[in-house]
Structure formats: C-alpha cells, structure tokens
Amino acid sequence: MKEILFLEPVFKSMIWGGDRLRTEYNYKIPSDHTGECWAISAHPNGDCTIKSGSYKGKSLSWLWTNKGHLFGNRSEPTFPLLIKIIDAKKDLSIQVHPDDAYAASYESGSYGKTECWYVLDCDKDAEIVIGHNAKDKDELRNMIEQERWSDLIRRRPIKRGDFFQISPGTVHAIKGGTMILETQQNSDITFRLYDYDRLDGGKPRQLHIKESIDVINCPHKDAAIDGSVIKCSSGEITNLIRNKHYRVQKIDLYTEMVLNQDRDFMNISVIEGEGVIDGTYISKGDHFILPYEYGSFRLEGKMSLIISYK
Ligand code: ZN
C-alpha cells in the first residue's frame, strides 16, 4: 500500500527562539520564543506522531519498533535521523557534539551527532560560527581558560541557500537572525562551551568544558560538501551531501517531476511553495516520510523540498 506518513511536529521553547515558526510556517507554537520544530523525529525528547491515515496518532518511535517493514526492517534500534527547523532570533550557545564512540561511553546507547544545515533564511548581515583557531589541544585549553572567545571562534557570513556540514568535534553556533533546516543523527547530546554569560530563568545554562575539550578536533578542518546540481526543464536537484550518516538533497520544482523512492525510507520537508504529491496537497512546513517500497512518486507544483535518507 502506498501510504505517505505525514508527521505532527514537536516544538521547543528556547531562550534564543522567536515566533517565525508561527508567522512564516503557520505552526501552532507554544511561545514567542520557540526555537525548534522537531519535524521528523522519533527521539524520546520529541517523538512526532502520525497526522492521518492508518497510523494516525501513533508515534514515529512506535512505528519504528512495531512496523519495521515500513522502514525496510533496518537494524538500528531507533529511527536514525532527526529533521528540525531552527528559528534563531538570538545567538545559540557555542557548542560541539561527540561522535558515536564518545556518545556511547558518555550516555549509554546514545548516538553521536553529525548534523548539517540548510539556511532557509537569514538577515542580510547574518553569520554563523564554524571552527576555531587553536592549533592544538594545549592552545585550545589555554584560550578557553583565558576566555579568549573572539580569538578562538571562527565566524563567517552566510546567505539564504547556504549549506554546511557540522561533523562531530566541530565547534559551531547558529547566530541570531537565522532560520535553518537541520538534518542530523537522532541524538540530543550537546556539549556547551560558551553561552555568552546569559541567564536562563535567573541562572546560567550548564557548560561542559571538559567534555568539549575532549571532543573538539584540533586543528579545525572544514568539512567537504557536494553541491552538484542536476538540471532539467521541470526543475533541479542539488546533491547537498552524502556521508555514512545521511544523504541530503534539495529539489526545486518548477512544474512536475516523477522520482523514485527506492531507499528503505525517505524523509521529505516542504521548505517553500506548494504543490501535490500523488494527488495529496502539500505546502511549506509539511514533513512526511515515504515508506519502504513506495516506488515512483509524482510531484507537481512550484516548490522546494529537502529530502534525506540513510
Ligand atoms: Zn549542533
């Protein structure tokens, strides 16, 4: 049976969040400082439910455990990916994530976190933090102890449509005035290195200096991304990245396209415009999964989509 799994997102209020998930995506958000929409997630901290159809009301984690055939009966104990939209009105903390090996020893059973960012929108002078300037761990430790944050971190300007890969061990931060679609491993382990001395409910958020120093790659190396584009008269497909954790592509559709879902499963997020998939209306802010053996699907309309699979 060809049934599309549409998901109900989970929202997270954050000290740095804003209201654009309501004003631009029409979501019902819990506060005017909503930072994250967990759009396709089976993580216990934000498990999406199925919106409609045979599995209406079931969580994605329930489906993974009980209806494994929908995802090709894969061996991972949990759904391996997590798709978020992030609305950073203010700066996020400077942070780093562990790889699978460190994560497993830190919090049993957890994955590490490899993530990538597609910039949905940003202010004209927006920037992000990726990488640092310490040549080795000793210099890193010294700069952190002396709180030489502006010498340590690397900032770079960004624009709409930019794409970045954040491998484990990479110092990074999304800065204010930015909306991002994040594709990541299904993990919620973040080591916070510096939080601008901000207070959350009267006290600073916890830092993880030792863990950060343990996992930060020295010296920093920028990760390679793909960026190759396949053009045709009905639209274009951009290969954003492919690694052992995920493959991510962007589709810009002008008229109609027939594609094939021949993977174990395929995550799709509509990031702009509106259209139809196999007769069902979809628009900006919809997120869904095409299950195992879905086969060919027809997209019609004028819209942009981010696709990911493992
Ligand atoms: Zn991160």
Side-chain angles (χ1 to χ4, degrees), residues 95 97 113 115 172:
Q95 54 186 253
H97 306 296
K113 189 163 159 187
E115 66 190 40
H172 64 280

Side-chain angles (χ1 to χ4, degrees), residues 92 95-97 113 115 117 166 172 174 182 184 190:
L92 273 73
Q95 54 186 253
V96 61
H97 306 296
K113 189 163 159 187
E115 66 190 40
W117 300 340
I166 312 292
H172 64 280
I174 299 170
E182 181 175 84
Q184 57 161 95
T190 293

Side-chain angles (χ1 to χ4, degrees), residues 74 76 80-81 244-247 264-265 308-310:
R74 292 181 64 95
E76 294 98 335
L81 299 178
K244 68 175 178 179
H245 298 295
Y246 42 68
R247 182 162 180 188
D264 288 345
F265 62 90
S308 61
Y309 44 88
K310 188 164 180 203

Side-chain angles (χ1 to χ4, degrees), residues 57-249:
K58 297 290 187 198
S59 67
L60 184 54
S61 68
W62 186 92
L63 280 190
W64 183 266
T65 305
N66 296 285
K67 302 285 173 187
H69 62 276
L70 294 172
F71 313 96
N73 289 313
R74 292 181 64 95
S75 60
E76 294 98 335
T78 56
F79 187 75
L81 299 178
L82 202 170
I83 315 301
K84 288 181 188 174
I85 297 179
I86 293 175
D87 172 14
K89 185 175 181 184
K90 299 184 194 142
D91 297 347
L92 273 73
S93 60
I94 312 279
Q95 54 186 253
V96 61
H97 306 296
D99 61 12
D100 287 337
Y102 193 96
S105 66
Y106 183 78
E107 194 177 284
S108 76
S110 283
Y111 293 120
K113 189 163 159 187
T114 298
E115 66 190 40
C116 60
W117 300 340
Y118 178 83
V119 179
L120 295 166
D121 196 18
C122 62
D123 291 350
K124 222 175 92 223
D125 55 352
E127 50 179 26
I128 54 164
V129 170
I130 296 186
H132 63 81
N133 294 315
K135 63 180 185 302
D136 54 33
K137 291 261 180 186
D138 284 339
E139 191 173 40
L140 176 73
R141 199 173 287 111
N142 286 335
M143 291 174 94
I144 291 170
E145 277 167 10
Q146 294 161 16
E147 303 189 43
R148 291 165 54 201
W149 302 113
S150 58
D151 294 338
L152 179 65
I153 59 170
R154 285 191 195 174
R155 294 189 175 82
R156 67 170 74 177
I158 53 167
K159 59 182 190 314
R160 205 181 158 116
D162 281 348
F163 181 77
F164 300 96
Q165 161 70 13
I166 312 292
S167 300
T170 304
V171 173
H172 64 280
I174 299 170
K175 297 189 50 83
T178 309
M179 288 200 87
I180 272 174
L181 184 132
E182 181 175 84
T183 303
Q184 57 161 95
Q185 283 180 276
N186 181 5
S187 167
D188 201 19
I189 301 189
T190 293
F191 297 142
R192 203 176 281 132
L193 179 61
Y194 177 54
D195 200 26
Y196 315 97
D197 305 312
R198 283 186 294 203
L199 300 179
D200 182 17
K203 51 179 200 270
R205 296 192 293 175
Q206 190 190 356
L207 299 179
H208 312 84
I209 303 292
K210 182 199 169 289
E211 292 85 352
S212 295
I213 294 172
D214 280 351
V215 305
I216 290 171
N217 300 328
C218 289
H220 167 76
K221 272 210 300 277
D222 278 336
I225 57 167
D226 186 339
S228 60
V229 181
I230 304 154
K231 286 187 192 216
C232 61
S233 60
S234 57
E236 49 185 77
I237 300 175
T238 307
N239 293 307
L240 295 169
I241 195 156
R242 173 183 214 164
N243 59 39
K244 68 175 178 179
H245 298 295
Y246 42 68
R247 182 162 180 188
V248 184
Q249 295 170 302

